[in-house]
Amino acid sequence: MTDHVQPSRPGSDGTATAAGDGESVYRPHHYTARRPPEAGGEPAGTLTLPAVQSVLDGLPGSVTFLLPAFDADGEVTDFHIAAASPDALDIGARRGKELIGLSVAGTYPTVVGSPLWEGYLGALKTGVRWEGEPFEYEEVLAGIPRLSRFAVRASASLGGLVVSWVRLDSGEREQRRLSVMQRLGGMGWADWDLVRNTITWSDETYTIFDRDRAAGPMTLEEMTAYVLPEDLPELSAAVERLLGACRPVDHTFRLTTAGGEVRHMRVVAEAESDVHGHPVEVHGFFQDLTATKRAQAQLLESQQAALAHRSQLTAERDVAERLQHALLPLTHQSLTLAGLTVDVAYHPLQEGLNVGGDWYSAIKLPDGSALLVIGDVAGHGLDAVATMAQLRFTAKGMAITGMPLPAILTRLNTLLLHTAERSFSTATMIMAHYDPATSKLTWVQAGHPPPLLLRRGGAEYLTAPAGILLGAVPAPRYEAASMHLRPGDQLLLYTDGLIEKPREDLDTSLARLAGAAVRSAADRGGLDGILNALVDPVTRRDDVCALHVSLRSPAAPGPAVSASAVS
C-alpha cells in the first residue's frame, strides 16, 4: 500500500502548518507567495489558487502546481499539489483534481532525496528551469509493485513550482507489445521513402529475411534476386500495381535466404501518393508463413495418409465381409429343407471377428435328403477359422457324392493329421443325414457333445455311437447310429460353448441344458429361449453355435431352402 502522511496547510504567511487529524487534502482559496531571496522568477504576491487552477485547466498533458512547505529554518521539507491539469495522471491512476492536496513526500516517499527531489529544490531556489533525465519510480498499490518511468520538467513560478511530466513506460510497453506480436506472428514492418530513396526495417524484418542488420535493409531490386524464379513474375506484377497505380497488395511468394533456406513470405503494403497521384511512400509488413505452410503440408499429408488408410480399411472390411459371407452367410437364420425346420444361431467369441472355430452346415442333398453338420475346432482366431473352413467344405463335398458318414469322418481325420503347418491338433464334429421319405435320421460323431431330443414334453440325450475327436489318432473307428423322427420332435445340435461353465462338471452342464430346452419348448421360445437362458454375453468364454431342428407336420410342407454356415 502507498504510504501517506498528513499534508501541510499553508498559513497566512505562506508557510505550511500540519493539517488536523483526519484531513488528507487542503484547498485554500489564496496564498501569499514566498520564496528565498536568492530565487529568481516573478516577485512574490497574492494569487488565488482558483486562478492558477483555471490556467492549468487549459493546458494539455500532465501539469501540476506545487507549493513548498518550510521548516523553522526556512528549509523546504515537502511539496503539496495545489492545482492540477485535467490530464494529469500519476502511477496510482489518480487523475486531475484528485491529485490536489496530496503531499509529494507523503504520497511518493521514494522521491525524497532522489535527483528529482534535488531538481525541484534547485529550480525553486535558483529560478532556473530544471529538466532531468528520465527517472524510474516504484509504488506499491494493492500489494503489487508498479514501476514507471517519467520525463519531468520543473519551473519556479509565483513561489511554487510548475511541474510537467510525460510517462514514458506506456509507449515503451506498446513498443514491447508490438515487438512481441511481430515475433509471435512472424511479422516485421518496412517503410520505403521513395522521395529520399530510404528504406527502414524493423528488427523482426531482418530476422524474417535472415539478414545481418549491419547490411541494412534490402532494396526491391536486391530482393528479387532471392525470390524463387517461378514466383518472380507474379510478385513483380504486384509491385508494379503498388508503385504504378498505388493499389494495395497482399501477395505471397517464396524466397531463398542468405543461409539457403526457402521461406514462404507474405507482403502486405500500401502506397501514399502526392497531389499528382505519384507514390511517395510505401508502408507495409512482411510475414514469415514458412511454419504455417509446413504445418499445412503436414496436415495435408496426414489427411491423405488417413484417407489412404481409410480406403484400405474399407477394402479390407469389404473382403472380410465377403469372406464371412462365404464361410457363414448368416449368424441367425431359419430355414426349411426336407420337411425339417432348422433354426441356426452362431456367436463368435473374438470381438471384431465374425467367424471363429465353430461351424455348422444345413444343406439339401441331390437326392432330396438333408445334411446337418456342427463342429468345433480347438482354439480361436484366424488359424482356427482356416482349419474350420477346410473341414467344413471337405465334409460337404464328400457328403454330396453320397459317401457314407463314417467314411467321411475317417477321411477328415486323415486330412487334419496331414495338413502342413497345422496349428490345431483336434476338432469335434457331428454329421447327420435325414431321409424325409422314411423320417430316418442317421448320425455320426467325433468326440462331440450328444444331440438333445425333445419329445412329448421331455428331453433325453441320444446315445452316441463310437467316434473319437478328429486329429487324435491315426486310425480311429467311427460308427453310425440311427433313429426315426416323429412329428413334433425337436433335436438340438450344439457346441460346448453353450453348456460349459468354469468349475462345473459335464453332467451338471448337460442337465442345465435339458431343463432350459424343456422350458423353452413349453413356452414356445424355440432356440432364442434356450440361448437367453444359458448364454451370458459378458461372461461367456467360447464360441457358441447351435442348430434347432424340428419335424414339421407332413400336411404343411414349406419351400425347400438350403443354407450353409460356419463358425
Side-chain angles (χ1 to χ4, degrees):
M1 299 295 292
T2 302
D3 295 329
H4 291 278
V5 299
Q6 295 295 338
S8 301
R9 175 179 297 165
S12 60
D13 60 352
T15 63
T17 60
D21 293 341
E23 296 184 30
S24 59
V25 297
Y26 66 92
R27 302 179 188 278
H29 293 288
H30 67 276
Y31 71 98
T32 301
R34 170 183 173 180
R35 56 183 173 79
E38 67 273 18
E42 299 85 347
T46 300
L47 181 67
T48 62
L49 286 178
V52 176
Q53 183 61 56
S54 66
V55 173
L56 267 60
D57 284 340
L59 297 181
S62 294
V63 183
T64 58
F65 181 63
L66 306 183
L67 285 177
F70 301 89
D71 60 13
D73 297 327
E75 298 295 330
V76 176
T77 60
D78 199 356
F79 292 92
H80 293 274
I81 301 176
S85 66
D87 294 333
L89 179 67
D90 73 351
I91 191 171
R94 292 167 288 242
R95 181 183 296 275
K97 294 182 179 181
E98 294 176 349
L99 299 170
I100 297 176
L102 295 181
S103 161
V104 173
T107 307
Y108 317 106
T110 59
V111 169
V112 178
S114 69
L116 175 66
W117 183 264
E118 297 300 326
Y120 282 179
L121 296 179
L124 182 66
K125 181 177 181 180
T126 65
V128 177
R129 186 182 71 180
W130 175 82
E131 185 171 355
E133 296 292 331
F135 85 102
E136 293 184 345
Y137 175 76
E138 183 175 20
E139 182 176 8
V140 178
L141 296 174
I144 302 175
R146 299 182 181 178
L147 183 66
S148 293
R149 298 179 72 246
F150 296 90
V152 183
R153 178 183 297 172
S155 299
S157 179
L158 301 174
L161 291 177
V162 177
V163 178
S164 63
W165 71 91
V166 177
R167 188 171 177 176
L168 303 176
D169 57 301
S170 59
E172 292 177 354
R173 279 201 301 268
E174 293 302 324
Q175 289 295 327
R176 288 197 298 270
R177 289 171 182 168
L178 179 60
S179 177
V180 171
M181 291 175 61
Q182 291 184 67
R183 185 173 67 255
L184 294 179
M187 296 185 296
W189 57 263
D191 290 332
W192 291 269
D193 188 329
L194 304 181
V195 176
R196 296 182 177 86
N197 195 26
T198 59
I199 305 174
T200 305
W201 275 8
S202 68
D203 289 343
E204 192 63 28
T205 307
Y206 287 97
T207 303
I208 291 174
F209 282 88
D210 192 21
R211 184 175 176 85
D212 186 357
R213 286 165 176 75
M218 283 190 289
T219 64
L220 293 177
E221 293 77 8
E222 186 179 1
M223 188 182 303
T224 58
Y226 294 91
V227 178
L228 267 62
E230 53 268 34
D231 293 352
L232 187 56
E234 291 188 6
L235 177 61
S236 300
V239 173
E240 184 177 348
R241 291 193 300 271
L242 174 67
L243 300 180
C246 291
R247 294 171 55 185
V249 299
D250 186 343
H251 187 73
T252 57
F253 61 97
R254 294 167 296 168
L255 59 78
T256 304
T257 66
E261 178 187 358
V262 175
R263 292 186 178 179
H264 294 262
M265 307 292 290
R266 177 191 181 195
V267 58
V268 178
E270 59 182 9
E272 294 184 8
S273 60
D274 58 15
V275 293
H276 303 291
H278 301 140
V280 293
E281 289 185 358
V282 174
H283 309 285
F285 68 84
F286 293 98
Q287 184 177 16
D288 186 357
L289 301 177
T290 306
T292 303
K293 293 293 185 180
R294 186 180 297 116
Q296 290 175 347
Q298 292 174 347
L299 178 61
L300 180 60
E301 183 179 351
S302 299
Q303 290 175 338
Q304 291 175 341
L307 289 175
H309 185 59
R310 186 180 304 171
S311 299
Q312 181 179 357
L313 290 178
T314 301
E316 291 178 353
R317 185 164 53 249
D318 182 62
V319 172
E321 289 176 353
R322 293 187 180 187
L323 178 62
Q324 175 189 342
H325 183 74
L327 297 178
L328 186 67
L330 293 173
T331 56
H332 288 81
Q333 61 177 327
S334 181
L335 51 116
T336 301
L337 67 161
L340 300 176
T341 298
V342 183
D343 293 321
V344 181
Y346 168 64
H347 301 283
L349 176 65
Q350 189 167 342
E351 185 178 354
L353 183 65
N354 291 331
V355 182
D358 294 5
W359 86 93
Y360 70 86
S361 289
I363 63 172
K364 181 179 180 181
L365 297 176
D367 61 0
S369 59
L371 177 70
L372 306 173
V373 184
I374 193 167
D376 183 1
V377 172
H380 304 284
L382 292 177
D383 290 333
V385 172
T387 303
M388 171 275 300
Q390 189 177 41
L391 293 175
R392 171 186 176 263
F393 288 112
T394 303
K396 185 167 65 172
M398 288 188 291
I400 291 176
T401 65
M403 182 179 294
L405 298 183
I408 294 176
L409 290 184
T410 300
R411 285 168 172 74
L412 291 177
N413 183 79
T414 302
L415 175 66
L416 190 57
L417 284 173
H418 293 86
T419 298
E421 299 179 357
R422 66 192 186 102
S423 301
F424 302 93
S425 58
T426 60
T428 66
M429 183 175 176
I430 284 181
M431 296 185 68
H433 174 266
Y434 177 72
D435 184 358
T438 60
S439 299
K440 183 178 179 181
L441 180 77
T442 302
W443 65 288
V444 294
Q445 64 88 27
H448 202 86
L452 177 63
L453 176 65
L454 301 173
R455 177 177 287 175
R456 296 181 180 178
E460 64 176 325
Y461 288 98
L462 301 185
T463 302
I468 191 173
L469 69 167
L470 301 174
V473 296
R477 182 171 64 90
Y478 297 105
E479 296 181 353
S482 62
M483 61 166 294
H484 287 83
L485 293 180
R486 303 173 186 176
D489 282 354
Q490 300 178 34
L491 189 67
L492 182 65
L493 307 180
Y494 54 92
T495 58
D496 56 7
L498 180 64
I499 59 173
E500 287 184 345
K501 277 191 172 184
R503 297 180 298 277
E504 183 179 73
D505 61 83
L506 181 60
D507 290 340
T508 302
S509 300
L510 292 175
R512 185 162 43 81
L513 172 60
V518 170
R519 290 189 295 273
S520 179
D523 298 337
R524 296 187 178 183
L527 182 57
D528 288 339
I530 298 174
L531 294 175
N532 292 336
L534 299 179
V535 178
D536 185 344
V538 176
T539 60
R540 69 185 182 95
R541 300 185 178 183
D542 200 357
D543 300 334
V544 174
C545 185
L547 275 72
H548 182 268
V549 181
S550 58
L551 180 58
R552 300 184 303 112
S553 170
V561 179
S562 65
S564 184
V566 218
S567 110

